[in-house]
Every structure is written in C-alpha cells, then in structure tokens.
Amino acid sequence: MLYLSLPQAMANADTVMASAELPASPDEVVAALVTGEVERWWGSADTYRMTSWNADLRLGGSWSVVVRSADGRHLPASGEFLEIEMPRRIVQTRRYDWDHPTLGRKETTAAYLLEPIGDSTRLTICHGGFAGFPDAAAEHAEGWARVLGWLQGYLGARSPI
C-alpha cells in the first residue's frame, strides 16, 4: 500500500506555496486540473463545487468556471493560460469575477509544477500576486491545502498504486 503525506501549504505576504504527492502520472494530474474532470473532484457538499468548467488550453487561451457555494450562490472565476509545458508546467492567471471578501477582483497568477516521482507526481503550486492582501494569501494557503487533499483522494480512489 502506498502512503502519501498530507498536502502542505504556506503563505508569505505575496505568495502561496502548496505541494502534494499524488498517486498518478503527470498527464493524469494535468487532466484533473485543466479539463472538465475538475468538476468531479474540486469541492465538497459542505464548501463549494466547481461547475461549468471551460478551458481553451493553449497560450493565451482562456478558462472559466462557476463555483457553486454550499449556500447556493453561483460565483464565476476566470483567467488566461500564460505558459504551457506539458506535462511539466502550466501557468495561468486567476480572477474572481465577483467581489471576493479578501481579494476582490484582483488578478493573481498560479503556476502548477509537476515532477514525476516513481509512479507518483509531486505537484507544487506557486500562487502569487497577493501583495497588499495578506488575509487573502493566508486564506488561499488553507484553500490550496484543502484542494490538494481533495485531488489526492480523488486520484487515490481510482489509482491501482
């Protein structure tokens, strides 16, 4: 049986770093992050769910999603793909298209870095652009740890590893 460590995340005044070892290949992890597959695992009944995922996975391509909160609100988010080096690295902008309580509509940038480790993949997320928004950075660090836990559970449930 494979034992994976719990996802880790931390923030400073400008950047959130989060990391997890995932029981899947880099290609499988990328698919879970940037295709409609995201709707299967990103969220929970007591927090929020991703719906209406749409992405044009190319340089300059856009992505959008609607976050359905546990209390029934529909909160859109979107961005653009800035760098794509499949399956090693994807960089995208992120923006809430509503007034987020700690970040407003400020655009941030998230980089997904994937490193194969045997039959697993180490995913590191570097999410920057929080300067002047320390509460948002701390909140997003907690959020990324939770999201990586969901992803780890989802990939582990379907993995023969």
Side-chain angles (χ1 to χ4, degrees), residues 48 93 95 138:
Y48 56 85
T93 61
R95 174 184 66 255

Side-chain angles (χ1 to χ4, degrees), residues 4-146:
L4 300 174
S5 61
L6 292 175
Q8 303 291 313
M10 61 183 206
N12 63 23
D14 182 58
T15 305
V16 173
M17 295 291 290
S19 184
E21 189 173 337
L22 304 169
S25 71
D27 287 326
E28 292 169 310
V29 174
V30 166
L33 289 168
V34 297
T35 71
E37 192 173 341
V38 76
E39 294 182 33
R40 295 184 200 151
W41 65 268
W42 195 313
S44 67
D46 60 337
T47 58
Y48 56 85
R49 299 292 305 185
M50 297 294 194
T51 64
S52 305
W53 173 260
N54 186 27
D56 180 8
L57 188 59
R58 62 178 177 80
L59 290 180
S62 64
W63 66 270
S64 63
V65 70
V66 175
V67 177
R68 188 182 68 236
S69 66
D71 64 7
R73 292 176 296 151
H74 289 79
L75 307 169
S78 61
E80 177 183 337
F81 293 105
L82 302 177
E83 296 178 41
I84 301 172
E85 296 175 37
M86 294 298 240
R88 284 186 350 92
R89 177 180 165 92
I90 296 174
V91 180
Q92 65 189 66
T93 61
R94 296 174 55 95
R95 174 184 66 255
Y96 296 105
D97 296 325
W98 54 284
D99 291 322
H100 185 276
T102 60
L103 194 60
R105 294 175 186 240
K106 180 174 177 20
E107 186 173 271
T108 59
T109 302
Y112 298 116
L113 309 170
L114 299 99
E115 177 186 6
I117 302 173
D119 292 334
S120 299
T121 300
R122 172 156 312 281
L123 172 62
T124 302
I125 298 165
C126 180
H127 190 174
F130 294 98
F133 296 86
D135 292 344
E139 176 187 320
H140 281 75
E142 290 177 22
W144 278 120
R146 184 174 50 248

